[in-house]
Amino acid sequence: MAASIEVPDSITVGELAEVLQLPATRLIGELFKNGIVATINERLDFDTAQIIVGELGLDVELQRKVVEVEPVKRQKAAQTASATDRPPVVAVMGHVDHGKTSLLDAIRSAQVAKGEAGGITQHISAYQVEHKDRLITFLDTPGHEAFAAIRQHGADLTDIVIIVVAADDGVKPQTIEAIRYAKNAGTKIVVAINKMDKEGANPGLVMGQLAEQGVVADDKAWGGDVPMVEVSAKTGDGLTNLLDTVLLVADIDELKADATIPARGLIIEAHVEHGRGPIAHALIEEGTLKAGDFILAGGTYAKVRNLDATTGKPIKSAGPSTPVIISGFKTLPEFGDQFETVKNERDARERAAVVASERAHGSSRSDMSSSELLRIISRTDKLQELPIIIKADVQGSLTSVADSLKSIETDEVAVRVAGSSVGVINDNDIHLAKSTGSIIYGFNTSVANNIKRLANRDKVSIRLYSVIYQLIDDAKNELSKLLAPEVTEKEVGTLEVKGVFKTTKTEVICGGEVLSGKLTTPAMVRVLRGKEQIGTAKLKGLKRGPNAANDLVEGELGGLELETSARIDLQIGDKLEFYVVETKERTL
Ligand code: GDP
């Protein structure tokens, strides 16, 4: 019977290799054969892991390990005397193309039409809408990665997840994933059955499919407890009903927070804006944030210089569940960093320095990049090029960035500029980056949220810098990853053949005495007769007496199982040389 191994829903290539007791390179190779260029740190979902195990022909059955993440509950505010009502925080999730972005946009633009001063031209990380004289905070970061990242940081700032399901497409893998996220996080679910304007809309079918996933509609026919609202992001039908429902669901939880204490919350977006320096969008979970406060976020800190609502309007202070834009950070905080108010600048500076150094330390382990892997596998010797797109604020800086990048070329690696222009990063840049596989380097420029979303969806990497040498360092780092690794052979031991028990085209079973070193599996083998090499093989297994052994050392006698690609007629007296191949990263 196949061995059964429990693995979590998401596992890195390295971790999977470890539980399967295989070299990671074998998994990487198998993934590559299946068209997936993965690094050792790449996360595979359960299904991919299962497929790969199947492809490897292992007698192993993967079982899904159900990890119930203990939701990090907000402090139940009723516990503190000064707690007051706060708006619900809502995230929108669902399968790609089911209309998450459209729905978020529709809800927001309805608000703008209601007379929001000046309108909003840019996409933002979160926004608040007023409905029936109450506020609702929407996280404008659809995408499960964003949600997962927030959760990874131990935060649980979402009260309600709206799961969008297209009425003409039904429940799809990411719908199921969204349900799982919401359940794990302990949030309330509201289902928006979208695209009701379309001809093939079939809400009944959607409800049935959701019921199969344990999400049962709360109407009489179904008898469940999850509100489901039919909407059309296109026509706007049903949106009022959706917002009503969100408020109803929020009321059940009696969401409260203490607005009288110093603020604490989460960074939900950060970027550099020309002329303003690092800008962070944050959601306040508790307390009140004011301009002039000192806040610590990850490895950086700020004296809050300007505090703006996400409409761009300056505000003096902001309370719980409010999304704000903060300027005054020393360096960019990271998405998902928690922030807290601290006493004074010294405190902020010292604590930020500790976190920054811990992070620098933690990230120093070597990450194998896709391009590097590609190189290991394909072993090309040509000049490796890093396609990039450069965007900058003015022509002068564009030229100097391009020139500096040229100066870091070597005979082996170079940047190839697929496009460059002045201005903010736009959708054309993303399309070009996608089709050319480019990284986008932005110098003193910025990127709107809708474009960032597009980039996320298309897996385009955008790197924003305002200091040229940091940009160059980043490019250098990327170029280093393209350098072919240094491949060396390390001899681990030798053995003299004392007996040959079985020889086929693909296998030799023999016995011998270890003359030097230590033999372990796996290893590569050179077969020598006298001075001549008569073949090569792979060491698959070792035996000491009748038992399998992990290793054999100098002076020991043992049995060997060798895998060969052509028949080798091994004879007594032949010598076997064992070696392992080591690869080492190089840097520019
Ligand atoms: P996301 O990937 O979930 O963010 O989906 P999008 O919001 O980008 O929508 C995907 C596609 O569906 C776009 O072409 C939208 O115009 C379209 N779409 C979204 N909502 C509706 C709707 O209610 N009705 C119709 N007919 N099309 C919609």
Side-chain angles (χ1 to χ4, degrees):
M1 216 183 74
S4 162
I5 299 180
E6 275 205 336
V7 296
D9 257 352
S10 150
I11 186 166
T12 67
V13 171
E15 288 160 359
L16 183 63
E18 206 175 306
V19 295
L20 295 173
Q21 298 181 338
L22 285 177
T25 45
R26 189 138 167 237
L27 282 186
I28 288 167
E30 194 61 42
L31 283 161
F32 188 70
K33 272 197 241 155
N34 285 278
I36 303 170
V37 180
T39 67
I40 199 157
N41 296 317
E42 192 89 12
R43 289 211 157 266
L44 303 177
D45 59 24
F46 179 83
D47 295 334
T48 310
Q50 201 164 37
I51 290 167
I52 291 305
V53 167
E55 296 276 308
L56 284 165
L58 301 176
D59 198 18
V60 166
E61 198 175 296
L62 294 188
Q63 299 281 351
R64 207 186 281 262
K65 190 192 276 174
V66 183
V67 192
E68 286 298 325
V69 185
E70 188 60 27
V72 188
K73 277 282 162 215
R74 281 165 193 256
Q75 211 181 328
K76 273 285 171 208
Q79 294 155 2
T80 42
S82 41
T84 46
D85 289 343
R86 63 169 179 82
V89 179
V90 182
V92 174
M93 297 173 86
H95 197 69
V96 64
D97 278 346
H98 279 194
K100 298 179 289 294
T101 315
S102 307
L103 195 66
L104 279 161
D105 289 350
I107 291 170
R108 191 164 54 114
S109 58
Q111 178 72 7
V112 173
K114 274 190 204 159
E116 187 73 20
I120 308 159
T121 50
Q122 270 206 348
H123 270 77
I124 37 180
S125 52
Y127 60 81
Q128 281 189 318
V129 296
E130 207 180 305
H131 185 67
K132 306 252 163 90
D133 292 331
R134 291 170 63 185
L135 289 169
I136 304 173
T137 304
F138 279 90
L139 290 177
D140 196 5
T141 44
H144 300 179
E145 293 85 358
F147 190 78
I150 290 175
R151 297 240 335 121
Q152 238 173 32
H153 287 73
D156 190 17
L157 77 173
T158 318
D159 302 301
I160 298 170
V161 171
I162 295 182
I163 297 182
V164 181
V165 190
D168 61 337
D169 201 24
V171 169
K172 291 276 164 253
Q174 283 165 285
T175 320
I176 296 171
E177 194 178 274
I179 294 169
R180 211 174 54 226
Y181 274 131
K183 286 193 169 167
N184 266 347
T187 68
K188 290 274 162 43
I189 295 177
V190 172
V191 173
I193 304 181
N194 190 32
K195 305 200 187 182
M196 283 303 296
D197 60 289
K198 285 185 88 172
E199 207 147 278
N202 188 346
L205 185 68
V206 173
M207 289 183 190
Q209 292 172 335
L210 285 167
E212 279 173 24
Q213 301 299 327
V215 176
V216 186
D218 69 352
D219 66 13
K220 277 203 207 84
W222 291 95
D225 61 355
V226 180
M228 301 200 182
V229 185
E230 294 174 12
V231 299
S232 165
K234 191 174 170 193
T235 65
D237 282 347
L239 294 186
T240 307
N241 191 7
L242 181 65
L243 295 180
D244 284 345
T245 307
V246 164
L247 286 177
L248 267 175
V249 169
D251 284 342
I252 300 168
D253 267 3
E254 292 184 28
L255 305 169
K256 288 182 190 296
D258 191 344
T260 64
I261 56 177
R264 183 179 70 71
L266 201 81
I267 304 294
I268 48 178
E269 138 106 47
H271 62 273
V272 177
E273 224 164 80
H274 187 42
R276 289 184 75 195
I279 300 292
H281 292 208
L283 185 76
I284 298 170
E285 289 184 74
E286 268 202 308
T288 295
L289 186 68
K290 300 182 294 296
D293 281 350
F294 286 102
I295 58 173
L296 171 77
T300 184
Y301 71 96
K303 174 172 186 178
V304 179
R305 195 168 57 220
N306 293 308
L307 196 61
D308 295 335
T310 48
T311 53
K313 221 164 61 187
I315 44 176
K316 288 213 172 66
S317 67
S321 294
T322 314
V324 290
I325 304 175
I326 301 169
S327 67
F329 275 100
K330 297 293 163 198
T331 55
L332 270 187
E334 285 176 25
F335 170 81
D337 277 341
Q338 286 192 299
F339 80 81
E340 61 179 301
T341 312
V342 291
K343 281 198 302 279
N344 52 37
E345 177 147 20
R346 211 181 106 203
D347 200 18
R349 191 174 49 232
E350 286 174 3
R351 287 174 56 189
V354 172
V355 178
S357 100
E358 275 171 11
R359 285 192 182 173
H361 189 69
S363 64
S364 66
R365 83 202 140 87
S366 70
D367 275 6
M368 198 193 273
S369 79
S370 315
S371 41
E372 182 188 357
L373 193 76
L374 204 62
R375 239 191 110 76
I376 294 174
I377 295 169
S378 59
R379 289 202 195 285
T380 52
D381 289 316
K382 290 201 300 282
L383 174 72
Q384 290 295 302
E385 289 184 317
L386 177 71
I388 59 164
I389 292 169
I390 315 172
K391 297 287 291 196
D393 50 349
V394 291
Q395 189 59 41
S397 44
L398 197 62
T399 315
S400 55
V401 169
D403 287 346
S404 310
L405 286 170
K406 274 256 164 285
S407 73
I408 55 172
E409 287 182 356
T410 72
D411 290 342
E412 290 172 77
V413 289
V415 295
R416 178 166 54 80
V417 181
S420 68
S421 58
V422 168
V424 296
I425 294 164
N426 58 37
D427 50 355
N428 281 336
D429 300 322
I430 307 293
H431 296 317
L432 181 62
K434 189 184 177 192
S435 62
T436 54
S438 297
I439 294 174
I440 301 179
Y441 281 107
F443 183 68
N444 278 339
T445 182
S446 58
V447 50
N449 252 25
N450 56 334
I451 301 298
K452 213 178 277 177
R453 228 150 40 205
L454 193 64
N456 265 343
R457 184 180 304 175
D458 289 347
K459 304 210 164 28
V460 168
S461 172
I462 300 176
R463 321 266 170 98
L464 298 177
Y465 286 100
S466 54
V467 179
I468 200 156
Y469 76 81
Q470 288 175 346
L471 187 155
I472 301 303
D473 273 354
D474 184 320
K476 243 189 198 167
N477 192 20
E478 287 299 328
L479 284 173
S480 295
K481 293 178 186 171
L482 296 178
L483 286 173
E486 204 178 302
V487 180
T488 48
E489 275 180 20
K490 194 174 115 200
E491 200 178 290
V492 292
T494 55
L495 171 139
E496 188 179 333
V497 177
K498 300 277 189 191
V500 182
F501 311 118
K502 181 178 168 193
T503 306
T504 70
K505 221 172 113 190
T506 56
E507 194 185 37
V508 176
I509 298 195
C510 63
E513 181 185 349
V514 182
L515 300 179
S516 65
K518 176 171 160 186
L519 313 188
T520 49
T521 52
M524 305 296 290
V525 189
R526 271 188 287 267
V527 183
L528 304 176
R529 183 161 300 157
K531 287 208 158 33
E532 197 193 342
Q533 177 174 327
I534 60 162
T536 58
K538 276 188 205 151
L539 177 61
K540 304 293 285 182
L542 289 169
K543 277 192 167 168
R544 182 178 289 113
N547 302 321
N550 287 332
D551 55 33
L552 289 177
V553 296
E554 190 174 327
E556 275 193 295
L557 289 167
L560 282 74
E561 186 193 336
L562 305 177
E563 184 186 287
T564 57
S565 51
R567 187 181 172 94
I568 301 176
D569 282 304
L570 202 63
Q571 294 173 7
I572 292 171
D574 286 346
K575 294 243 165 57
L576 304 183
E577 260 177 27
F578 297 82
Y579 64 98
V580 290
V581 175
E582 289 179 339
T583 54
K584 207 166 90 197
E585 276 183 34
R586 290 192 296 147
T587 50
L588 272 189

